[in-house]
Amino acid sequence: MKAVVSVLGKDMVGILSDVSNECAKANANVLEVTQTIIQDMFAMFMMIDISKLNQPLSDFSVHMEETGKKKNLVIHVMHEDIFQSMHRI
Amino acid sequence: MINVNEIMETIKMIDEEYLDVRTITMGISLVDCADADIDKSCAKIYDKITRVAKDLVKTGEDIEKEYGIPIINKRIAVTPIAMLVGVSGGDPIKYALTLERCAQAVGVNFIGGFSALVQKGFSAGDEALIQAIPQALAQTDHVCASVNVGSTKAGINMDAVKMLGEKVKEAAELTKDRDCIGAAKLVVFCNAPEDNPFMAGAFHGVGEADCVINVGVSGPGVVRSALAKAPKDLTMNEIADLIKRTAFKITRMGQMVGTIASKRLNVPFGIVDLSLAPTPAIGDSVAYILEEMGLETCGAYGTTACLAMLNDAVKKGGVMASSNVGGLSGAFIPVSEDAGMIHAAREGVLTLEKLEAMTAVCSVGLDMVVLPGDTSAEIISGIIADEAAIGMVNSKTTAVRAIPAIGKQVGDELSFGGLLGSGPVMRVNQASCSVMIRRGGKIPAPMQALKN
């Protein structure tokens, strides 16, 4: 099982390390990272493996959202199935 | 592999364009709760609903968090209560209060099914239930009522139409200190669907399984935004294609949520209702979609044509995205729940007559329209009869959810709050139809009924 972590916000030092650190704490393995900076906006997408997550995905999702808010970032954790079902037949 | 643009598109739909699953509705049959003793019957209902639906809200909330898709309402629809009243007799209010307790115990937003199906005539329990509707809606907060007064197969029960005009008025009067909210929870149908997940008209049809999960999708904001980005010189058929593509994506999401919910609750998946259901939030409006097609204001000439195309394109796009389609499926036009419709009605461009024409091509009928408080019960019955006739002849669902604003006149407004929104009092043609309504009887089924 995989999930997509998306991070959007103003670029600053340490975003990637903060987010991957939280993933590590939850025992989510980072499989793939794509990041880009448009003007000074930071956009990062991580594909993470959630099959060995040490907490329910819903708790992790809420936790990440709150972590993002503290740093003025918008963080979403969404099960990959939503993208698969919406964009693939 | 999913690409970044697809991820961004989905997130943008949810965050900026109000994409959501409007409702997960659990349909529960109460046939096995019927008892000759009304108190035993109520006790069995309470036991069954609180047992079967105990995890409904939590499951909805979990899916919401895990998949990042808002699920606005969790609701329950039950077997038309008139059938249970028929078995038990007694005061139907007891059933309404039991349903209210169930709604509060399991935490759902609404419970629908304080209903009767009387298109061809009244059977035991039907009349008593209809008489009790205004009190039931005044004494409860979560219970919704509906009555089916006509169908293409059966014609229109004009005795019921007469009664319902009176009941709509009474429901408003009994709740006049709460913006007449009672009438906003009562829908009068022609050709009512038995698997509709949307309130206030949801009930669990007699042909349904013991328990099912139905899902209603939403997303007018997503369609509007897709049209806003499109060049202004696209032809109407190109716009239709764009709507189909968008509706497909919205519906896929509804299908996914329904499949997951049904698996987790261990209840069979019923249908996805492919509807564009607006909310009062700015941008989440069906009227704005029509305006985006090139109308100055919703209600202008061209509105009915645009709505017909929209309604059809939504179905064509959605039908391939879902394994089972049902319910109302199409575009909703509830005036008070749609920022663009509210604006158009305030401006006087959107009139009741235009709305009536629009109901011939959309998925429901005159929905959430606010009438002057002194409108007579007979005129409300006349409005119901006209809507039912449109539904009967066109083999489609039509409905009336009209709210007489007691003590208010054209220019005033009612505010219901939440998803029900607020609406200006609309001008009503006050010419009398009382002799016709008092005739009662039945309008015979049209030739369209003879398909066999």
Side-chain angles (χ1 to χ4, degrees), chain B residues 171-302:
Chain B
E173 258 159 18
L174 287 174
T175 50
K176 64 180 174 203
D177 52 340
R178 286 181 279 154
D179 281 276
C180 309
I181 187 82
K185 296 183 287 178
L186 168 59
V187 186
V188 186
F189 273 114
C190 175
N191 289 324
E194 303 208 331
D195 51 8
N196 161 28
F198 286 101
M199 292 296 171
F203 63 88
H204 187 70
V206 288
E208 298 280 315
D210 187 57
C211 188
V212 289
I213 288 290
N214 297 325
V215 170
V217 296
S218 175
V222 182
V223 176
R224 190 198 64 87
S225 156
L227 293 189
K229 281 179 228 147
K232 288 289 166 216
D233 59 353
L234 280 193
T235 60
M236 286 301 272
N237 50 307
E238 286 168 325
I239 291 184
D241 273 341
L242 193 58
I243 296 170
K244 282 196 302 199
R245 277 204 293 276
T246 315
F248 175 81
K249 290 181 183 173
I250 297 172
T251 311
R252 289 283 286 182
M253 198 197 56
Q255 169 78 18
M256 183 201 78
V257 168
T259 312
I260 297 164
S262 115
K263 211 161 152 194
R264 291 193 185 176
L265 290 163
N266 200 17
V267 167
F269 185 18
I271 54 98
V272 177
D273 189 320
L274 315 173
S275 283
L276 285 185
T279 65
I282 300 293
D284 201 20
S285 152
V286 169
Y288 287 161
I289 301 176
L290 304 175
E291 290 171 9
E292 208 62 66
M293 288 184 200
L295 307 170
E296 184 188 349
T297 309
C298 176
Y301 284 106

Side-chain angles (χ1 to χ4, degrees), chain B residues 312-326:
Chain B
D312 180 63
V314 166
K315 290 183 210 166
K316 284 175 178 163
V319 82
M320 186 181 159
S322 169
S323 52
N324 281 298
V325 174

Side-chain angles (χ1 to χ4, degrees), chain A residues 12-66:
Chain A
M12 61 179 135
V13 174
I15 299 179
L16 178 56
S17 87
D18 284 349
V19 175
S20 45
N21 203 11
E22 292 301 328
C23 291
K25 278 196 227 160
N27 203 29
N29 189 23
V30 177
L31 303 170
E32 204 177 324
V33 182
T34 314
Q35 72 164 68
T36 174
I37 290 163
I38 308 158
Q39 287 165 350
D40 59 349
M41 288 299 283
F42 177 87
M44 176 173 79
F45 303 94
M46 267 181 180
M47 182 67 89
I48 58 170
D49 182 352
I50 50 168
S51 46
K52 294 190 182 113
L53 210 63
N54 58 17
Q55 53 191 282
L57 179 58
S58 53
D59 292 355
F60 181 59
S61 158
V62 171
H63 171 70
M64 290 303 277
E65 208 171 295
E66 280 162 8

Side-chain angles (χ1 to χ4, degrees), chain B residues 2 26 38 109 157 212 366 393-394 401:
Chain B
I2 310 155
M26 181 181 265
I38 187 166
N109 309 88
N157 180 346
V212 289
L366 284 179
V393 170
N394 293 300
R401 182 160 50 145

Side-chain angles (χ1 to χ4, degrees), chain B residues 392-423:
Chain B
M392 174 182 76
V393 170
N394 293 300
S395 308
K396 75 182 283 292
T397 302
T398 49
V400 173
R401 182 160 50 145
I403 302 104
I406 305 302
K408 301 203 173 186
Q409 275 306 326
V410 177
D412 296 335
E413 302 217 351
L414 284 186
S415 178
F416 311 107
L419 285 182
L420 295 173
S422 63

